[in-house]
Amino acid sequence: MKVIVSHDVDHLTVSEHFTDTIIPKFIVRMNIELLLQKISLREVYLRYCNLFRNKWNNISELMDFDEKEKVPSTFFVGVNNGLGLNYERKLSEKYIAEILSHGFDCGVHGISWINKESVDLEYATFKDISGLNDFGIRMHYLRNNIEILQTISNAGYLFDSSDYGTKEHYKIGEMFEFPLHIMEKYEIEGKKKWQIYSTKEAVESSIIRINAYEKIDIKYLTILFHDFYFDDSFSTWKNWYTEIIKYCKSQGYIFINYRDAIKKSQTT
């Protein structure tokens, strides 16, 4: 079994959310987690520090870690606004260039889905910004159905990874679909909107799931971790990611990105 790691970029700055409800929800969630004794006072302090620093992304830190661990991850960055994703195009341009310059792959964190024109425009915008001729997508909030997947396939995307579930990769038209198998949110929050599991509990349950996927012979196990959480203010989340990477390496799993997985699929 090979492992594909990816990162969704939902936020870049705090200030991009001054006109929506993300910041109040963030504070309410933090207080709930503190009252439930799921996070420490230090984490609360660090989260407030990041609020005042206007820093809500950890892309550089995560790239440093992945590079050190030799994990060829893929970052999905938005080039459109909606559903709580509100950063400016100039910041998209900055971070897409930075990600590509460090040798990591980059794709679209998709917002458009209602009609062909909006999907095509989002595709063209990312192509213009990145300079890439082919690239993949993951829909924000994993929004997908057969119509959405067919529309983004028709737009020209190389691959998508929005279909969450226990499935092997498959094709929709010319586009490869790599179902998402493990996402940190579900491992740490379950069905809540705040943390309910400890690092130990989340890692143990995730390892059980990884082993189950190996038993059914999934060829490419896909793992999603949001860069937002790669910070000591979210110690459970950050530790979960580092422990899962460590576990995969201890089992001898090979890390691969979507592009290389596609190349291998086309030659076998």
Side-chain angles (χ1 to χ4, degrees):
M1 185 168 69
K2 295 180 175 62
V3 178
I4 300 175
V5 175
S6 61
H7 308 298
D8 289 357
V9 179
D10 287 346
H11 316 286
L12 291 175
T13 64
V14 177
S15 58
E16 69 205 36
H17 295 295
F18 283 171
T19 59
D20 60 32
T21 61
I22 297 295
I23 297 173
K25 288 179 179 178
F26 173 81
I27 294 173
V28 169
R29 167 193 173 185
M30 177 170 56
N31 288 330
I32 290 173
E33 291 174 338
L34 181 62
L35 287 172
L36 293 175
Q37 298 183 331
K38 299 299 182 181
I39 63 174
S40 65
L41 284 172
R42 179 174 182 271
E43 287 175 279
V44 172
Y45 168 75
L46 292 174
R47 291 185 194 186
Y48 274 114
C49 286
N50 287 336
L51 275 175
F52 289 108
R53 291 171 61 204
N54 196 29
K55 185 178 187 298
W56 262 10
N57 84 81
N58 300 290
I59 295 172
S60 295
E61 294 86 348
L62 193 48
M63 286 195 297
D64 288 344
F65 176 82
D66 285 353
E67 187 172 32
K68 178 182 177 183
E69 297 299 324
K70 296 181 172 53
V71 177
S73 53
T74 299
F75 289 77
F76 293 101
V77 179
V79 293
N80 194 6
N81 289 343
L83 299 174
L85 198 157
N86 292 326
Y87 46 83
E88 298 178 1
R89 173 169 171 161
K90 65 180 181 181
L91 287 178
S92 297
E93 294 173 350
K94 172 186 174 182
Y95 284 101
I96 289 170
E98 185 176 329
I99 290 164
L100 294 175
S101 70
H102 279 76
F104 292 97
D105 198 13
C106 193
V108 177
H109 201 22
I111 295 294
S112 300
W113 61 275
I114 295 176
N115 56 60
K116 178 182 184 301
E117 290 73 21
S118 63
V119 172
D120 288 347
L121 178 60
E122 192 168 64
Y123 176 91
T125 301
F126 184 87
K127 183 176 182 179
D128 179 58
I129 290 174
S130 68
L132 299 173
N133 290 319
D134 51 26
F135 44 87
I137 184 172
R138 171 175 292 124
M139 298 300 293
H140 193 37
Y141 288 126
L142 304 183
R143 187 184 294 272
N144 78 90
N145 57 38
I146 188 60
E147 290 80 12
I148 292 173
L149 295 179
Q150 187 63 62
T151 301
I152 62 177
S153 172
N154 292 341
Y157 284 99
L158 179 65
F159 65 86
D160 172 74
S161 188
S162 305
D163 184 4
Y164 183 85
T166 308
K167 302 176 186 177
E168 187 59 89
H169 66 291
Y170 58 94
K171 291 188 75 173
I172 298 177
E174 295 301 311
M175 182 181 76
F176 283 82
E177 178 65 33
F178 288 89
L180 178 59
H181 300 125
I182 295 177
M183 178 168 70
E184 89 280 59
K185 174 180 172 61
Y186 297 150
E187 304 303 311
I188 296 171
E189 293 184 346
K191 295 182 180 181
K192 299 292 186 180
K193 293 184 178 180
W194 52 82
Q195 179 180 332
I196 60 174
Y197 298 117
S198 66
T199 300
K200 184 174 184 292
E201 291 170 330
V203 169
E204 287 178 349
S205 65
S206 299
I207 288 174
I208 290 173
R209 296 189 63 215
I210 291 171
N211 292 339
Y213 279 115
E214 184 172 32
K215 285 181 181 178
I216 63 173
D217 201 27
I218 286 288
K219 192 170 184 179
Y220 299 109
L221 177 76
T222 57
I223 299 175
L224 164 59
F225 180 80
H226 293 74
D227 71 287
F228 178 76
Y229 296 113
F230 196 74
D231 186 81
D232 290 338
S233 61
F234 286 91
S235 62
T236 296
W237 305 68
K238 181 179 180 181
N239 292 336
W240 176 87
Y241 180 66
T242 59
E243 287 298 314
I244 291 301
I245 296 300
K246 183 189 300 182
Y247 176 77
C248 290
K249 293 181 73 173
S250 73
Q251 299 304 299
Y253 297 142
I254 296 172
F255 291 97
I256 190 171
N257 65 18
Y258 295 102
R259 289 182 185 274
D260 288 339
I262 290 170
K263 289 177 184 176
K264 288 182 178 296
S265 296
Q266 291 173 331
T267 58
T268 56

